[in-house]
Amino acid sequence: MSEVLTGAQILCRELVAAGVDVIFGYPGGAIMPFYHALPEYPGLRHVLVRHEQAAAHAADGYARASGRVGVCVATSGPGATNLVTGLATAHMDSSPVLAITGQVGRPMIGRDAFQETDVIGLTLPITKYNHLVQDISELAAIVREAVAIARDGRPGPVLIDVPKDVQNQKAAYTPPEGKAAAPAPVPPLAQGVDEAARLIAEAERPLLMIGHGVILSGAYAEVRALAEKTGIPVITTLLGISAFPESHPLHLGMPGMHGEVHVNRAIQHADLIVGIGLRFDDRVTGNLAAFAPRAKIVHVELDRAEVGKNVPVAVGIVGDARQITQRLVEAVRPRTCEAWVAEIRGFVRPRAEAFSGDLSPEAILASIYEATGGSCTIVTDVGQHQMWVAKHYPYQRPNTHITSGGLGTMGFAVPAAMGVHLARPGELVWAISGDGGFQMNMAEIATMVQEGLSVKMAIFNNGYLGMVRQWQQFFHEKRYSCTPIWSPDYVKLAEAYGIAGWRVENRGQLDDVVRRANATPGPALVEFVIAQEANVYPMIPPGGSLSEPIEAQPAATPAR
Amino acid sequence: MQASHAVSVLLDDDLLAFNRAIGVVRRRNLPVQGITVGPSGQAGVLRLAFFMQADDANAMRLLRQLEKAHGVHSVTVTPVSSPSLTHPSEAVL
Ligand SMILES: Cc1ncc(C[n+]2csc(CCOP(=O)(O)OP(=O)(O)O)c2C)c(N)n1
């Protein structure tokens, strides 16, 4: 049965039909018809952010935590351009985000109309698909296609630009039949499984290296079964963290620029690396020419363009990580790697305490872990604190570590955590940021208050743009150019927003405050004052080989 | 520029698909020459063709990325010994 609706109403109906329940957005002239229609659809909860960048990050956080498409909405011109960083972030990390932007009316397009921007041109390289809707007659089909493209295959962001007059146009609308469109057919299982199983049987020093693809496909049980059947130790990339329990005896840790020495050494000694759902990014491999010099590489990956892109592979298997890992589990013969695991154990260095004060990042993270019983999701920003969390937080539950990996977007944590909260309403969410990144999007505290979003915010305050300062220390003669950063009084800031806030300056205050923050309903903020010159060790210099880490020196004396 | 490969792309006859394909090529930052765009003989399908200078690994990377672009139907990359031989727009797909 068809009825006559406006473009804006059709947009809303299609979102409802696609299973959307939350939209993060900000209104403005060119998107006003959509906002006019929105109250007619109470199933679409709108979260009014304080900056469109936050809408995109929140939609991204929602998508990563729920596995469903996250939606953000903005007006034309500045609203649309503000989305760009968030879409680029989602694109790099394969996150299914649907952005809807208003556009000036069709007769005005191309005439430099007020708030006209070529958002299609701007977002072409950072979306999987984008489209300027030409007429109401194609609107419903385009929304369906965009949602399917965002979600299917290797996920990614999509954008639909809807001219204001198309939002106001009227047309007969027939709702889609049944549920949302069927997912795209699964790509056929590729050749190579038997060959990979043979290489696994022959290898003396094999490693499993798992990335975001394992989380996206939910291949947790399969990866674990593969590791346990073969005894192969497991390395988790930054975006693969939490895909394998940290407490598992076969878990080694994170590789790459800030990977543990024994993990990188294992890579350099390995004779086989089975990479599942990762792209061998340069932060993981270091100098490519020197990466894993003895290893044959088996690469399991959904995106064919990633296989062989960065590292030459002996066997490339294109397909869904879960299905292929299951096939591998069936194909491999049981074996153990005891001698190899013992050899790697010999590479382990005592953890270099990066800290001289008593409030160490390790202690803070241990306290959060204890207080939440390991049940919360941690969303991190970008910088030293991000690496400390990646290295020290003992993740046990799948997909509970969310961070901006590929783009490394400061300001991500706070808004993305709002999306995570809405995707997992009953669970605790901690957004952990540095004092730099927190100040980029701290205006979102107001969004949390207005919308009742319960996010716990931790600020690792070292008075510096810490990671950049660390590079200056190592590679730029300690010239701390433009990296000291002033902060407001965060406790007073919390008070101004009407939320609970604490400052923790020593270990003695730590556990009590973290417990109180968890117990306080709604958003809460905790500033942790940490030593200014704490570093993330070890570190592979940019472009260096994984064999040449900079290791901890005697802890720096705090300057304060 | 010493061309090493001829590239021929069949794609939707549509500005967005064209823009996406060109964007992929531009982003890889490889020297490209002799760009032509024209009909493919198939309704609704355009042929984009050019020469480029790249080693085989880079040529293969470009091929895979182009194949991924929404609106691209197929891509062929052929090694050339001399750019004057056949323009890729005339190559048989
Ligand atoms: C939007 C953005 N701008 C700049 C950078 C470069 N950058 C990477 S880490 C970093 C410092 C982060 O400082 P802070 O947020 O205080 O965290 P810390 O490293 O001290 O933990 C900067 C500036 C970035 N990643 N993202």
Side-chain angles (χ1 to χ4, degrees):
Chain A
M1 193 191 68
S2 85
E3 51 193 313
V4 174
L5 298 179
T6 65
Q9 289 170 316
I10 291 175
L11 210 44
C12 293
R13 290 281 285 265
E14 283 296 323
L15 292 177
V16 172
V20 173
D21 54 6
V22 185
I23 295 171
F24 303 92
Y26 209 96
I31 193 77
M32 284 186 67
F34 173 80
Y35 275 90
H36 181 78
L38 200 53
E40 297 161 24
Y41 303 89
L44 296 174
R45 172 173 180 187
H46 184 270
V47 173
L48 179 70
V49 293
R50 293 302 182 270
H51 187 295
E52 291 86 351
Q53 179 190 358
H57 289 323
D60 184 354
Y62 178 92
R64 295 192 206 207
S66 68
R68 293 157 60 196
V69 175
V71 181
C72 54
V73 175
T75 190
S76 65
T81 55
N82 276 349
L83 290 177
V84 167
T85 302
L87 293 177
T89 303
H91 191 245
M92 281 294 254
D93 288 351
S94 312
S95 185
V97 169
L98 166 64
I100 296 170
T101 46
Q103 183 54 279
V104 300
R106 286 169 296 174
M108 304 301 291
I109 291 180
R111 295 168 64 183
D112 296 330
F114 177 65
Q115 293 192 331
E116 180 188 0
T117 309
D118 175 15
V119 67
I120 294 295
L122 280 170
T123 57
L124 261 169
I126 54 164
T127 50
K128 238 180 127 180
Y129 166 87
N130 63 11
H131 195 90
L132 171 66
V133 181
Q134 305 289 345
D135 189 79
I136 190 169
S137 58
E138 62 175 33
L139 179 59
I142 282 168
V143 177
R144 285 172 222 173
E145 184 176 16
V147 168
I149 291 173
R151 187 189 55 196
D152 297 345
R154 178 178 178 176
V158 295
L159 181 141
I160 307 176
D161 200 23
V162 193
K164 189 171 184 178
D165 59 329
V166 173
Q167 296 172 49
N168 282 325
Q169 245 184 320
K170 285 194 173 143
Y173 171 73
T174 315
E177 283 182 16
K179 287 225 132 196
V186 179
L189 280 185
Q191 314 297 311
V193 170
D194 292 340
E195 178 64 5
R198 195 179 60 74
L199 291 177
I200 289 174
E202 283 171 5
E204 288 178 11
R205 295 183 171 83
L207 289 174
L208 278 173
M209 207 188 229
I210 64 172
H212 196 194
V214 170
I215 290 176
L216 289 170
S217 75
Y220 314 113
E222 290 77 7
V223 165
R224 189 167 171 162
L226 182 62
E228 289 175 354
K229 190 168 176 186
T230 56
I232 304 181
V234 179
I235 290 173
T236 40
T237 69
L238 179 63
L239 290 190
I241 287 174
S242 81
F244 195 80
E246 306 257 332
S247 59
H248 196 287
L250 288 172
H251 185 256
L252 291 185
M254 184 175 75
M257 180 173 269
H258 288 294
E260 302 301 338
V261 170
H262 67 278
V263 178
N264 286 336
R265 277 248 197 124
I267 291 172
Q268 297 306 78
H269 283 72
D271 61 1
L272 178 71
I273 294 177
V274 179
I276 305 178
L278 79 167
R279 55 193 178 89
F280 291 101
D281 158 86
D282 54 274
R283 283 291 196 264
V284 163
T285 62
N287 179 0
L288 267 178
F291 174 72
R294 301 175 181 86
K296 290 189 177 138
I297 293 180
V298 172
H299 194 179
V300 177
E301 166 60 47
L302 185 57
D303 181 352
R304 194 155 87 115
E306 291 296 347
V307 178
K309 185 181 83 177
N310 291 340
V311 295
V313 298
V315 180
I317 311 179
V318 178
D320 175 67
R322 187 168 178 183
Q323 289 182 17
I324 292 184
T325 309
Q326 181 53 40
R327 286 278 302 271
L328 277 171
V329 173
E330 289 156 15
V332 293
R333 285 195 301 275
R335 61 164 291 177
T336 59
C337 299
E338 277 156 19
W340 169 226
V341 170
E343 189 180 339
I344 297 173
R345 230 173 263 134
F347 300 153
V348 173
R349 301 291 173 85
R351 196 152 252 173
E353 183 65 20
F355 232 74
S356 57
D358 78 339
L359 189 61
S360 68
E362 290 92 326
I364 298 166
L365 297 172
S367 179
I368 293 177
Y369 180 77
E370 287 302 316
T372 58
S375 71
C376 72
T377 300
I378 307 268
V379 187
T380 57
D381 217 74
V382 173
Q384 293 180 309
H385 65 280
Q386 177 191 34
M387 292 298 116
W388 285 320
V389 173
K391 289 154 68 71
H392 302 312
Y393 196 83
Y395 290 97
Q396 309 302 336
R397 276 201 319 150
N399 197 13
T400 48
H401 170 257
I402 289 176
T403 196
S404 164
L407 201 67
T409 309
M410 284 172 69
F412 172 82
V414 167
M418 301 194 304
V420 174
H421 165 75
L422 284 166
R424 300 177 177 168
E427 298 182 17
L428 273 169
V429 183
W430 276 83
I432 301 183
S433 315
D435 41 339
F438 183 77
Q439 291 187 72
M440 282 193 172
N441 274 326
M442 65 186 185
E444 296 308 320
I445 298 173
T447 307
M448 296 177 198
V449 171
Q450 183 171 350
E451 298 284 342
L453 309 180
S454 175
V455 172
K456 312 300 173 190
M457 290 163 278
I459 305 160
F460 281 31
N461 186 355
N462 52 10
Y464 276 107
L465 298 172
M467 187 56 95
V468 178
R469 189 209 53 71
Q470 176 170 340
W471 284 49
Q472 290 172 328
Q473 180 184 340
F474 290 174
F475 314 118
H476 293 271
E477 300 150 17
K478 298 193 178 174
R479 183 179 286 179
Y480 296 155
S481 165
C482 308
T483 44
I485 184 164
W486 177 90
S487 280
D489 180 330
Y490 289 115
V491 176
K492 283 197 181 139
L493 184 82
E495 198 185 322
Y497 280 108
I499 69 169
W502 296 268
R503 178 178 300 113
V504 174
E505 285 170 304
N506 58 58
R507 187 85 162 251
Q509 304 166 304
L510 179 58
D511 292 339
D512 180 49
V513 167
V514 170
R515 249 192 317 262
R516 283 163 62 191
N518 277 336
T520 304
L525 176 155
V526 186
E527 173 193 11
F528 298 98
V529 180
I530 61 172
Q532 293 199 320
E533 299 204 350
N535 284 328
V536 183
Y537 290 113
M539 177 177 193
I540 308 294
S545 133
L546 295 189
S547 308
E548 300 153 358
I550 300 173
E551 295 191 59
Q553 300 135 4
T557 316
R560 66 178 61 179
Chain B
M1 180 189 113
Q2 181 68 47
S4 61
H5 293 81
V7 181
S8 175
V9 186
L10 291 181
L11 70 162
D12 286 349
D13 185 359
D14 155 291
L15 272 176
L16 270 179
F18 175 68
N19 222 326
R20 247 177 236 126
I22 285 289
V24 169
V25 180
R26 183 185 49 72
R27 221 159 68 83
R28 290 219 65 93
N29 200 25
L30 298 166
V32 160
Q33 218 168 48
I35 304 167
T36 61
V37 189
S40 67
Q42 237 175 301
V45 181
L46 202 69
R47 185 196 305 277
L48 160 69
F50 53 87
F51 287 111
M52 71 172 174
Q53 188 182 28
D55 57 24
D56 284 346
N58 265 324
M60 186 50 69
R61 278 182 203 123
L62 180 79
L63 173 104
R64 294 272 181 257
Q65 308 241 278
L66 272 171
E67 283 176 339
K68 256 180 28 170
H70 194 81
V72 168
H73 299 214
S74 66
V75 187
T76 44
V77 175
T78 329
V80 289
S81 42
S82 152
S84 60
L85 283 182
T86 324
H87 191 275
S89 64
E90 289 148 28
V92 184
L93 274 183

